[in-house]
Amino acid sequence: MKVSFVAPLVAFAALGLAGCGQPPAATFSRDERTEDLIPEARDLVDKVMTDNFGTPNHLVAWEKFPIDYGKLDPTADPELHHDKPGWRLKEGRNLFMTHCQHCHGVTGDGKGPTSRFLNPRPRDYRQGTFKFKSTKREIKPSRKDLLHILEQGIPGTYMPSFVLLGEEKLGLIIDYVRWLSIRGDTEIRLSAELTASSATKKDIKRAAGEGKKEADVVAEVMKSVKEELPGKVDEITGDLAEAWAAAELEESVVVPKVKRTPPTKESIEKGRKFFLSLIPNKKTECVECHGKLGRGDGPNTEKYWPIPKSTPERKYEVAGLHDEWGFPQSPRNLTRGIYRGGRRPIDIFRRVHEGIPGTQMAGFATVLTHEEIWDLVNYVLSVPFEGKHSAYPMELDEEQQGKNKVATTSE
């Protein structure tokens, strides 16, 4: 079931040489894969997206997705909008437009007006890929994960903390971001299906060059596309609904099987050896990106990497690592003690265990045991302190204990 409603966004009058006038209505921009389709197929994608998701000013709540749109509450204060169906989606949109769209864009594509000035670039939600979360690599982030990011921000980036908005408003933003991600992911997957059906401009030209009339080729392709479209849309959206629902399951969360090893000298030393791949059959290759001293200057930062799925294969013009969105990325400089995914030991554990989705940071779940990962975590947290102890000491070494005892006695 889909519920639609109209609620115009607040727009500022545009001043120009010709006088005052209203700016054009906000729209959801197309993905580049949709733009590559022939006009007939592109219009079909546009219709599916508008019918099922609406426009920024006229949102459509498709109830098959695990999103809290806000039910009708006739007893609520009308000024809070709880007296109308879909009020949560509207309120989430309004908060997103106020606090988020200038970086992440109206569509959630990471192309807001300030995005080109930022490094790293804002997240493109449409891919359905989120870098920092507690769930397994292939699982979507949970609501708790998104709340953690909004409350804490992302250190070392321009993503600030929005904790002062309060949990209720942040919850509205979270559901709208989830909705934007589902909307964008639906378009991308649908366009990929139409591309596979040869509904691109390039495919039509190629077929027409083989002696067929272009109009006949288009008609033949579109006939097949229209027949398969309803089933494809249902399959794509069904998969996305299940994927986002799975993120809330307890078994989707990465939970260590053992408690954290105290950050003793022995544990930190073990972690250092894992970091440097000095232990047989425990090759992590951490230094290839982070460097031997953890400064983010490993040899992989000087290579020219091939662009994934490029045909024929091409390499990036800029040396170094790149993320899934094609932007250059620098491995973390561990000596600074700034961890974008969070500085809690459990945050580092999950990064090491699962890697970081959307990046070339791989997980070591098949290489290291949970106990060994804790040793590596202890080492990573010790790097800014020159190996003396971790940022979260659970047990001081004997030498430090002795110093503390002497200091206490002298006092």
Side-chain angles (χ1 to χ4, degrees), residues 321-356:
L321 304 172
H322 288 69
D323 62 24
E324 189 176 286
W325 299 271
F327 298 121
Q329 65 170 96
S330 299
R332 184 65 40 241
N333 181 345
L334 301 176
T335 66
R336 298 180 62 195
I338 297 175
Y339 313 102
R340 289 178 181 173
R343 64 178 295 108
R344 299 174 303 176
I346 186 60
D347 296 326
I348 309 297
F349 181 97
R350 287 167 174 156
R351 300 295 82 75
V352 175
H353 190 276
E354 294 295 314
I356 302 178

Side-chain angles (χ1 to χ4, degrees), residues 115-149:
S115 64
R116 67 183 185 275
F117 303 111
L118 307 181
N119 183 23
R121 297 291 286 269
R123 181 63 51 248
D124 178 356
Y125 304 132
R126 302 170 308 159
Q127 310 285 339
T129 301
F130 294 78
K131 294 169 69 175
F132 307 120
K133 55 195 183 71
S134 65
T135 54
K136 297 172 184 175
R137 191 179 183 109
E138 70 277 6
I139 303 291
K140 303 293 184 185
S142 67
R143 283 187 172 87
K144 288 183 179 179
D145 291 330
L146 296 178
L147 178 62
H148 181 73
I149 291 294

Side-chain angles (χ1 to χ4, degrees), residues 16-170:
L17 296 176
C20 298
Q22 290 294 329
T27 59
F28 290 124
S29 59
R30 293 191 188 110
D31 182 72
E32 60 185 16
R33 279 151 284 210
T34 305
E35 296 287 2
D36 288 338
L37 299 173
I38 57 176
E40 293 83 354
R42 192 171 60 229
D43 291 344
L44 203 56
V45 173
D46 287 344
K47 186 177 188 310
V48 169
M49 299 308 298
T50 302
D51 288 348
N52 294 294
F53 295 95
T55 66
N57 286 343
H58 186 179
L59 303 176
V60 175
W62 196 348
E63 294 185 350
K64 76 181 297 181
F65 299 117
I67 292 174
D68 184 358
Y69 293 110
K71 302 295 183 182
L72 174 66
D73 183 2
T75 64
D77 183 349
E79 293 185 2
L80 297 177
H81 306 293
H82 294 192
D83 62 330
K84 296 181 177 126
W87 67 269
R88 292 190 88 260
L89 190 62
K90 290 184 291 184
E91 290 296 306
R93 176 209 53 202
N94 294 342
L95 287 166
F96 182 88
M97 291 299 179
T98 300
H99 300 286
C100 314
Q101 73 84 25
H102 58 91
C103 289
H104 292 283
V106 172
T107 312
D109 57 2
K111 296 180 181 178
T114 61
S115 64
R116 67 183 185 275
F117 303 111
L118 307 181
N119 183 23
R121 297 291 286 269
R123 181 63 51 248
D124 178 356
Y125 304 132
R126 302 170 308 159
Q127 310 285 339
T129 301
F130 294 78
K131 294 169 69 175
F132 307 120
K133 55 195 183 71
S134 65
T135 54
K136 297 172 184 175
R137 191 179 183 109
E138 70 277 6
I139 303 291
K140 303 293 184 185
S142 67
R143 283 187 172 87
K144 288 183 179 179
D145 291 330
L146 296 178
L147 178 62
H148 181 73
I149 291 294
L150 287 173
E151 287 185 335
Q152 301 299 318
I154 302 180
T157 77
Y158 290 92
M159 174 67 184
S161 164
F162 291 99
V163 69
L164 294 181
L165 288 180
E167 195 167 325
E168 181 180 351
K169 288 184 177 180
L170 293 182

Side-chain angles (χ1 to χ4, degrees), residues 91-350:
E91 290 296 306
R93 176 209 53 202
N94 294 342
L95 287 166
F96 182 88
M97 291 299 179
T98 300
H99 300 286
C100 314
Q101 73 84 25
H102 58 91
C103 289
H104 292 283
V106 172
T107 312
D109 57 2
K111 296 180 181 178
T114 61
S115 64
R116 67 183 185 275
F117 303 111
L118 307 181
N119 183 23
R121 297 291 286 269
R123 181 63 51 248
D124 178 356
Y125 304 132
R126 302 170 308 159
Q127 310 285 339
T129 301
F130 294 78
K131 294 169 69 175
F132 307 120
K133 55 195 183 71
S134 65
T135 54
K136 297 172 184 175
R137 191 179 183 109
E138 70 277 6
I139 303 291
K140 303 293 184 185
S142 67
R143 283 187 172 87
K144 288 183 179 179
D145 291 330
L146 296 178
L147 178 62
H148 181 73
I149 291 294
L150 287 173
E151 287 185 335
Q152 301 299 318
I154 302 180
T157 77
Y158 290 92
M159 174 67 184
S161 164
F162 291 99
V163 69
L164 294 181
L165 288 180
E167 195 167 325
E168 181 180 351
K169 288 184 177 180
L170 293 182
L172 297 172
I173 294 175
I174 287 167
D175 268 316
Y176 189 69
V177 166
R178 286 160 60 93
W179 182 86
L180 277 179
S181 181
I182 290 171
R183 182 201 171 278
D185 212 346
T186 298
E187 180 193 352
I188 290 172
R189 296 190 188 197
L190 183 57
S191 294
E193 291 288 348
L194 268 59
T195 297
S197 299
S198 302
T200 66
K201 303 168 189 174
K202 185 184 297 184
D203 287 326
I204 297 298
K205 286 184 178 180
R206 184 184 299 114
E210 296 174 355
K212 298 180 181 179
K213 291 184 179 180
E214 188 169 310
D216 292 339
V217 176
V218 170
E220 182 180 345
V221 169
M222 290 307 298
K223 181 178 182 297
S224 175
V225 164
K226 289 178 180 179
E227 289 175 352
E228 298 177 357
L229 188 67
K232 293 295 184 184
V233 172
D234 189 57
E235 181 182 352
I236 290 169
T237 54
D239 286 347
L240 287 172
E242 290 180 8
W244 281 97
E248 303 304 316
L249 299 178
E250 195 173 320
E251 58 265 31
S252 296
V253 179
V254 176
V255 179
K257 295 179 181 178
V258 297
K259 291 183 179 180
R260 181 192 177 192
T261 305
T264 59
K265 282 184 176 181
E266 292 74 19
S267 174
I268 291 173
E269 177 59 20
K270 286 181 183 178
R272 186 185 72 85
K273 289 180 179 178
F274 289 133
F275 185 86
L276 297 174
S277 295
L278 296 178
I279 299 179
N281 301 321
K282 298 291 181 180
K283 195 171 184 180
T284 62
E285 298 184 343
C286 300
V287 297
E288 296 300 309
C289 294
H290 293 285
K292 290 183 178 180
L293 298 179
R295 293 175 177 170
D297 57 355
N300 282 344
T301 63
E302 299 178 358
K303 292 182 181 179
Y304 284 87
W305 289 85
I307 300 174
K309 300 179 182 179
S310 57
T311 307
E313 184 180 282
R314 292 177 292 114
K315 293 186 177 182
Y316 289 108
E317 295 180 0
V318 178
L321 304 172
H322 288 69
D323 62 24
E324 189 176 286
W325 299 271
F327 298 121
Q329 65 170 96
S330 299
R332 184 65 40 241
N333 181 345
L334 301 176
T335 66
R336 298 180 62 195
I338 297 175
Y339 313 102
R340 289 178 181 173
R343 64 178 295 108
R344 299 174 303 176
I346 186 60
D347 296 326
I348 309 297
F349 181 97
R350 287 167 174 156

